[in-house]
Amino acid sequence: MPPLRHLVIAALVAAVALAPNAQAGTPPAQQQVAPGIDYWTEPSSTSIFRDTLPSKESGRSIALDAASNEEESAQIVLRSAAGFTVDGVTFSALTNGARSLAAANLSYTFVDYKNLNRNTGFGSQPMYPPVRKAPGAFPDPLSNARTWTVAPRTTQSIWVTAAVPKGTAAGVYAGTATVATSKGAVEVPVSVDVRAVTLPDPKDQTFETTLWNVFFGEISWAPNGQTMEETYKYPRYSPQYWDLLDKVATQMKRHRTNTLTLPLVNLLVDGNTTVTNNSNATGVYTFDWSRIDEIIQFMLDRGVVKRLEGFWVSADTYNWGRPQDGVREVEIIDGTGGKGKRNYVNWNTAKANNFIDQFIPQLKQHLDAKGWTENLKYWMHVGDEPVGAQEEAAYRGIAQRMRSHWPDVRIGDAAFHEPTAANLSSTMSVMVPNLLNYDQNRATYDNLRAQGKDLYFYNCNIPVGNYLNRFIDQPQFNQRLTPWYAYSRGANGYLHYSMNGWLANLDETESKGDHYIVWPDVANNTIQSSIRYESLRDGIEDYEVLNILGASNPKLARDLATALTERADKYSPDTGYQARIRRLALDAAAGKPIAPDLARNTTATASSATADHEAAKAVDGDNATSWQPNGTGAQWLQVDFGRQVQLDGLQLNWAGVAAGNYTVKVSYDGARWSTAYEGGGGAFAGINGKARFVRVEFGSGVSGLSSLEVAGSPLAKQNLLGGRNYSVSPTPNNKPDSGFESTDGVLADAHDDGRTYGFGAGQGTATIQFDLGSAQTIDEVRLHAYEEYPAYRPDRVTIATSTDNVTWKQQGFLPGTPNDQSKIWYQFDSPPTTARYIRVTLQKTFTADASVMLVDEIEAYGATGPANLAAGATYTKSAPPHANYPDSGNKESTDGVIAGHHEDTFNYGYTFGVGTTGSAKVTVDLGSVKPIGRIEVHDNFDGVTKYSPDTVRISVGNSPDALTPLASTGVSSAQWFRFPVQTTARYVQVEYEKYSQGVAADWIFVDEIAVY
């Protein structure tokens, strides 16, 4: 008997080897798949683990959106029950009529893994939500290997990047990626929709990025570190070193890291700077700038540098055995004659002053002579992360002495201790608040930014919690959204420590990946990129798109950024919504209108209107017409789409002065409304929700709208629960339910946004029940997970349906973690079932960090496809199941009841000897020969124990003794193995095959088989 499985779910998933396209591309019939290999595609925002399976949103092709002079990436994901090798990936040219995007502009790398012994935290503060609980192997490095070996039953991602050269004409370019494997070729359609937008080169872009690194010498407080020498085993400035730097420069340029961090003291010492006897702080310096010049010119020649950052700092160090005593120490060059060496001395000592008095004026003189002071906007540091009154005084003292020699020297430093950070920002030219500080002191930094100061955001080992950062175990999109947030707040740069602090031990650091944005590749004398570095580049490119749009429509650009990132700890984790907003930004920057505009020529009504300025004039597609209210009081404009839609946002084009404040409300029925957005003065209201009606309510004095455009798409199927009443038991004792929080179409985010309700102590089981009013046919139920803090999600979700509110049939079960692509929805598919009542049961075990169970949107969709031909059909089995897990009534595979945990008695089980391969076959009799277009097999897998089959094979025929193999796969989608087919047959045989691997991986549990 298998052990009881824990109620936690890994990333469950979708789209098997013959699944239909989820993205634009060549139809499935034209795709080639190697025998025994399953593949699917994912966006770059999806974390692919070694046991990841596809979600329902996973694709069968790669479809990218890009500007000219931009890189965009996606993933081809492979898996097989047997091991195989990938021998390489080749690309065809991508063509658009006579135009072509050369194959050389496409590249690939293999996603590799790093083992994390625990999840990121800072002291007692956790980071959340992690993409997965540690320990385990997490995706991050992008290997430079050209071939790859994939183990049996292991998922492998291939990272595919398209670089769109300058001058590429707008249009959709399509071609193929061919993955050569030891089992044959896998052909994947690839397309790039290029917009008529050209991004600037890294050295010319608006956004400035500095990733502190030690490629040119140590910048840490410990002067004895030799990262490059200890990693690559050769000295700096050797031929191998310059070869490495050439590759580093290529990566920096590709990833738009355009600020050059210069460890000044290190480079001066490397350049043979000398000092006479400085024992009594009277040494005379002869500065040798040769190494500094050499490094700068080397990187300039490679098109990397927009800005120079002089890394010379004070710190309360622990160098040379000295304690951290609260006294700032200045980095100097010291010695008793001849070649100097690094040292640290208290900031207000004679030695510190002697060094500053000679170093600063000569530094200025040299930079001026080279033309770099202004051309490269040189700036430098005074002291990292000052804290408290004593260090604030030290910072001001050092800065004052520097400016006595160089009055307009640009200085700036990362700061997160308040009020020190805000106090010192007025002395800085480059303000660098931590995201945590900025969000809590926006007015201070915004006012100084308005005075012309640079505003960079930074993060490192903080902030944690739900803040944007770039840890290995965070969702990949976090790094990409940081520049979106920067644009929304008017910031123009980003700073992070550290790009390559490789001497830090990954296991010993709390913040996983804080020292590793790139990884060393010693064997090839180069570096490896990471998915986080790619994500940062993508965010910078998005920033430049917004900046181009902002030149013509600053309100729209800012509002689009805000649609994704309201605060550094309040942003949309829905990767589909992120992609849609990005497409809107690309189109708008290219001068395109919203397409399709859901509001165009729909039924519009208003609170009032003047003659020839009726409500319909706001949705007629003609900006020369407008809706104008008749009166000065509060007004509203309402649109009926005629059907349910997915809303992405509203673009408001004002017929005069923009409204100082307005509210957007949504409704499924036009009678009961829920607030989806509140703002003022803007051009775009971002809304990730569902509705049939939208109403914009204005305060007094609105001048009207020349157009109201709505971005989104019609829902493919109707949400039967939209706007309905429901009953909740017990009454929530944590946060009250307004009466329709679960059906209002508005998604909850933070617990304090008033859009969710919750259960606390004593309410470990809760049910939400819906009455559809009459019997309906449904095949899908969805539950929106609380986004911000996963501990507040249920431990178990069960779906049941009934026709009479007496007899219930289980239709879905999921533990713990959502199973959609963004990991914010629980998705339950089932064969079409007739029901009037739907019941959602939630279970939670409360703990100190999980004291609440929060509930939000619940949806159910009417079935639109054919009936299940296997419903109630008889079947035979190749062998009887295990006596402890029998097939109750010989009906579990066709009774329409969806099994959950293996002990719920709704399935039957087979076990096999450890180290052996076993199989079980179930042959379903459809009663007569029937056309078949799709076969689906339920995967009874709870996300922890490995009771799924390795391979599912389908055979069909008109006699149970003469069956023809038809299809096979090893991956399931949202708990279903899915087989689109085109055949006719009376008998459908499903073979479940498994290699038994021992405890929790030595059973197969068999459940529903559906035929359409």
Side-chain angles (χ1 to χ4, degrees):
M1 180 182 297
L4 182 67
R5 292 174 286 177
H6 298 294
L7 300 176
V8 182
I9 192 170
L12 294 186
V13 279
V16 296
L18 299 174
N21 285 352
Q23 299 174 341
T26 310
Q30 299 179 29
Q31 298 175 15
Q32 309 255 341
V33 180
I37 294 182
D38 293 297
Y39 95 86
W40 64 96
T41 60
E42 297 284 359
S44 59
S45 54
T46 301
S47 295
I48 303 298
F49 291 85
R50 286 171 172 155
D51 60 356
T52 291
L53 301 176
S55 69
K56 284 182 67 176
E57 298 91 344
S58 300
R60 296 289 293 159
S61 60
I62 289 175
L64 301 172
D65 295 276
S68 178
N69 202 29
E70 180 178 17
E71 294 190 22
E72 277 294 319
S73 304
Q75 300 176 82
I76 298 173
V77 189
L78 306 175
R79 186 178 175 92
S80 177
F84 63 97
T85 60
V86 178
D87 300 318
V89 182
T90 57
F91 301 94
S92 71
L94 306 186
T95 58
N96 177 325
R99 300 188 180 106
S100 178
L101 189 62
N105 292 299
L106 291 103
S107 60
Y108 74 95
T109 52
F110 294 100
V111 174
D112 206 352
Y113 294 82
K114 290 293 177 179
N115 287 304
L116 303 187
N117 57 346
R118 59 183 179 273
N119 287 115
T120 293
F122 184 72
S124 61
Q125 305 171 54
M127 177 276 296
Y128 54 84
V131 288
R132 179 170 291 194
K133 289 186 176 181
F138 284 70
D140 192 59
L142 295 177
S143 173
N144 295 313
R146 299 291 82 198
T147 64
W148 204 257
T149 300
V150 185
R153 298 170 296 279
T154 300
T155 302
Q156 179 61 50
S157 168
I158 303 173
W159 194 271
V160 174
T161 300
V164 181
K166 280 184 177 180
T168 302
V172 178
Y173 295 77
T176 304
T178 301
V179 183
T181 81
S182 57
K183 291 180 175 291
V186 176
E187 293 187 3
V188 182
V190 177
S191 66
V192 183
D193 187 346
V194 180
R195 307 309 204 276
V197 180
T198 300
L199 303 189
D201 290 331
K203 64 182 178 61
D204 302 317
Q205 70 191 30
T206 300
F207 199 72
E208 297 165 359
T209 311
T210 174
L211 301 183
W212 289 357
N213 63 78
V214 294
F215 289 118
F216 317 118
E218 301 305 305
I219 61 172
S220 66
W221 318 137
N224 290 335
Q226 296 293 325
T227 301
M228 302 307 293
E229 290 83 349
E230 292 184 39
T231 302
Y232 289 92
K233 309 304 181 187
Y234 52 70
R236 280 180 292 148
Y237 315 116
S238 63
Q240 301 101 307
Y241 173 77
W242 292 111
D243 176 64
L244 171 64
L245 278 199
D246 185 60
K247 298 168 183 174
V248 169
T250 298
Q251 288 280 27
M252 291 178 68
K253 184 177 180 180
R254 277 196 59 221
H255 294 86
R256 296 181 173 266
T257 305
N258 57 6
T259 297
L260 191 59
T261 303
L262 298 167
L264 296 174
V265 170
N266 246 310
L267 290 170
L268 286 169
V269 171
D270 287 351
N272 201 35
T273 291
T274 62
V275 58
T276 62
N277 192 333
N278 197 41
S279 300
N280 295 318
T282 58
V284 177
Y285 293 93
T286 301
F287 294 107
D288 183 344
W289 308 99
S290 60
R291 288 302 190 190
I292 292 177
D293 294 350
E294 189 175 22
I295 292 294
I296 294 174
Q297 194 60 54
F298 185 90
M299 302 303 275
L300 279 173
D301 291 345
R302 284 152 182 79
V304 177
V305 186
K306 175 184 181 180
R307 197 159 191 183
L308 297 179
E309 175 188 4
F311 201 95
W312 169 75
V313 298
S314 66
D316 179 13
T317 74
Y318 46 85
N319 298 307
W320 313 105
R322 300 173 57 168
Q324 290 182 270
D325 54 8
V327 178
R328 282 269 154 173
E329 296 160 337
V330 170
E331 183 185 21
I332 71 167
I333 297 175
D334 207 357
T336 57
K339 186 176 176 65
K341 62 181 181 180
R342 291 177 75 191
N343 196 8
Y344 284 85
V345 295
N346 286 0
W347 73 273
N348 57 352
T349 61
K351 272 193 175 185
N353 293 338
N354 182 51
F355 181 74
I356 293 172
D357 291 344
Q358 296 180 64
F359 170 57
I360 294 298
Q362 292 190 53
L363 173 64
K364 172 179 167 44
Q365 181 182 7
H366 183 74
L367 291 172
D368 287 347
K370 300 292 290 188
W372 293 337
T373 307
E374 295 304 323
N375 289 343
L376 298 180
K377 294 177 63 180
Y378 176 84
W379 67 288
M380 65 189 303
H381 296 284
V382 173
D384 187 53
E385 297 182 342
V387 55
Q390 184 175 345
E391 293 201 6
E392 181 177 334
Y395 192 100
R396 292 182 185 277
I398 298 168
Q400 183 178 10
R401 194 166 195 98
M402 291 169 61
R403 284 177 168 149
S404 70
H405 301 289
W406 187 351
D408 56 352
V409 61
R410 299 183 186 94
I411 62 171
D413 277 286
F416 73 90
H417 297 281
E418 294 293 359
T420 309
N423 291 344
L424 287 177
S425 289
S426 62
T427 72
M428 298 181 185
S429 306
V430 183
M431 302 178 293
V432 195
N434 190 277
L435 285 173
L436 185 68
N437 297 68
Y438 177 79
D439 269 8
Q440 296 173 1
N441 299 274
R442 283 184 174 184
T444 297
Y445 297 106
D446 289 351
N447 289 336
L448 291 169
R449 172 66 172 149
Q451 297 173 23
K453 294 179 182 289
D454 291 303
L455 175 60
Y456 289 12
F457 290 153
Y458 93 97
N459 48 30
C460 52
N461 55 356
I462 61 167
V464 286
N466 193 46
Y467 276 85
L468 295 172
N469 211 316
R470 22 75 42 235
F471 304 119
I472 292 174
D473 49 343
Q474 274 187 308
Q476 294 181 24
F477 61 76
N478 268 47
Q479 181 73 98
R480 184 168 193 162
L481 287 186
T482 301
W484 281 79
Y485 185 54
Y487 189 86
S488 77
R489 300 307 308 168
N492 66 306
Y494 173 73
L495 178 151
H496 178 258
Y497 168 86
S498 155
M499 187 178 185
N500 67 325
W502 298 327
L503 298 186
N505 185 289
L506 187 60
D507 280 348
E508 294 174 1
T509 57
E510 288 186 303
S511 47
K512 301 306 182 183
D514 190 46
H515 301 84
Y516 299 82
I517 294 298
V518 297
W519 300 85
D521 181 354
V522 176
N524 295 297
N525 195 40
T526 186
I527 59 175
Q528 294 176 329
S529 181
S530 69
I531 56 179
R532 292 170 297 141
Y533 202 18
E534 304 285 302
S535 183
L536 175 59
R537 175 207 66 209
D538 291 339
I540 295 168
E541 291 171 336
D542 295 342
Y543 183 105
E544 296 302 317
V545 170
L546 292 167
N547 193 57
I548 290 170
L549 171 60
S552 59
N553 196 334
K555 287 183 178 179
L556 178 58
R558 186 67 56 88
D559 289 350
L560 286 170
T562 304
L564 294 186
T565 55
E566 184 178 333
R567 295 195 313 260
D569 64 342
K570 184 175 174 59
Y571 47 86
S572 174
D574 185 335
T575 56
Y577 184 63
Q578 292 170 19
R580 297 194 299 273
I581 293 295
R582 178 176 173 271
R583 284 194 288 269
L584 288 175
L586 273 169
D587 286 340
K592 293 183 177 181
I594 285 177
D597 172 14
L598 298 179
R600 178 71 61 86
N601 296 322
T602 54
T603 301
T605 55
S607 53
S608 67
T610 60
D612 296 324
H613 294 283
E614 297 81 9
K617 299 294 178 64
V619 295
D620 62 1
D622 184 356
N623 281 335
T625 65
S626 64
W627 163 69
Q628 300 282 349
N630 182 11
T632 58
Q635 304 287 333
W636 56 265
L637 179 72
Q638 178 176 316
V639 175
D640 177 2
F641 303 111
R643 61 180 298 179
Q644 293 178 1
V645 301
Q646 163 66 50
L647 291 170
D648 294 333
L650 283 65
Q651 184 169 339
L652 300 96
N653 298 307
W654 304 97
V657 178
N661 60 81
Y662 59 89
T663 300
V664 180
K665 294 184 177 181
V666 297
S667 174
Y668 277 104
D669 59 10
R672 191 160 59 168
W673 299 85
S674 185
T675 298
Y677 177 90
E678 293 178 287
F684 186 85
I687 299 170
N688 184 9
K690 297 182 177 71
R692 173 177 167 173
F693 300 85
V694 166
R695 173 183 286 186
V696 187
E697 297 181 353
F698 307 91
S700 61
V702 63
S703 56
L705 290 171
S706 60
S707 68
L708 174 66
E709 301 172 76
V710 178
S713 58
L715 293 186
K717 298 192 293 184
Q718 183 179 4
N719 173 19
L720 301 176
L721 303 185
R724 287 190 180 274
N725 292 320
Y726 50 87
S727 61
V728 180
S729 179
T731 301
N733 66 3
N734 181 270
K735 290 184 178 297
D737 178 19
S738 67
F740 73 131
E741 295 295 353
S742 280
T743 59
D744 65 354
V746 179
L747 301 185
D749 177 22
H751 66 88
D752 58 355
D753 63 10
R755 295 175 178 172
T756 186
Y757 55 98
F759 304 88
Q763 297 186 330
T765 298
T767 60
I768 301 98
Q769 186 167 316
F770 303 85
D771 181 353
L772 301 179
S774 62
Q776 308 274 350
T777 302
I778 65 171
D779 61 5
E780 181 182 3
V781 176
R782 303 177 81 220
L783 172 68
H784 181 237
Y786 177 66
E787 293 180 356
E788 183 184 37
Y789 189 45
Y792 291 165
R793 296 170 180 170
D795 298 330
R796 179 185 297 202
V797 184
T798 306
I799 308 297
T801 62
S802 174
T803 56
D804 57 8
N805 202 23
V806 176
T807 303
W808 293 86
K809 183 168 67 172
Q810 183 167 297
Q811 291 293 293
F813 167 91
L814 278 175
T817 303
N819 61 336
D820 72 315
Q821 195 171 68
S822 299
K823 302 301 178 283
I824 57 173
W825 287 90
Y826 300 93
Q827 298 187 147
F828 304 88
D829 291 352
S830 66
T833 188
T834 301
R836 173 174 172 173
Y837 302 93
I838 299 173
R839 185 174 66 197
V840 179
T841 302
L842 310 173
Q843 293 171 278
K844 180 79 174 174
T845 299
F846 296 114
T847 62
D849 68 341
S851 57
V852 180
M853 178 170 62
L854 297 178
V855 182
D856 185 34
E857 210 68 10
I858 301 174
E859 303 171 345
Y861 289 91
T864 58
N868 175 17
L869 302 176
T874 60
Y875 55 87
T876 58
K877 299 183 286 291
S878 57
H882 194 282
N884 289 342
Y885 295 92
D887 182 3
S888 177
N890 200 49
K891 61 180 178 57
E892 299 294 357
S893 283
T894 58
D895 62 358
V897 177
I898 306 303
H901 195 279
H902 68 271
E903 295 189 349
D904 65 11
T905 73
F906 297 145
N907 51 23
Y908 50 100
Y910 295 88
T911 187
F912 309 106
V914 175
T916 66
T917 298
S919 70
K921 298 178 181 179
V922 179
T923 304
V924 179
D925 183 357
L926 302 181
S928 62
V929 176
K930 296 178 180 179
I932 300 172
R934 188 171 85 253
I935 299 169
E936 297 189 351
V937 179
H938 189 240
D939 180 12
N940 189 206
F941 171 46
D942 69 1
V944 177
T945 44
K946 309 299 182 183
Y947 293 149
S948 291
D950 294 327
T951 304
V952 175
R953 297 186 179 92
I954 301 295
S955 299
V956 299
N958 295 330
S959 165
D961 300 319
L963 300 174
T964 301
L966 188 63
S968 68
T969 186
V971 299
S972 61
S973 159
Q975 295 187 312
W976 289 88
F977 296 96
R978 305 175 194 269
F979 301 88
V981 297
Q982 292 296 326
T983 190
T984 58
R986 173 175 175 173
Y987 296 92
V988 174
Q989 183 182 88
V990 180
E991 179 183 6
Y992 305 80
E993 183 180 89
K994 183 179 188 67
Y995 173 71
S996 179
Q997 300 175 71
V999 176
D1002 55 351
W1003 287 71
I1004 292 175
F1005 285 88
V1006 177
D1007 187 32
E1008 211 66 14
I1009 299 170
V1011 180
Y1012 303 96

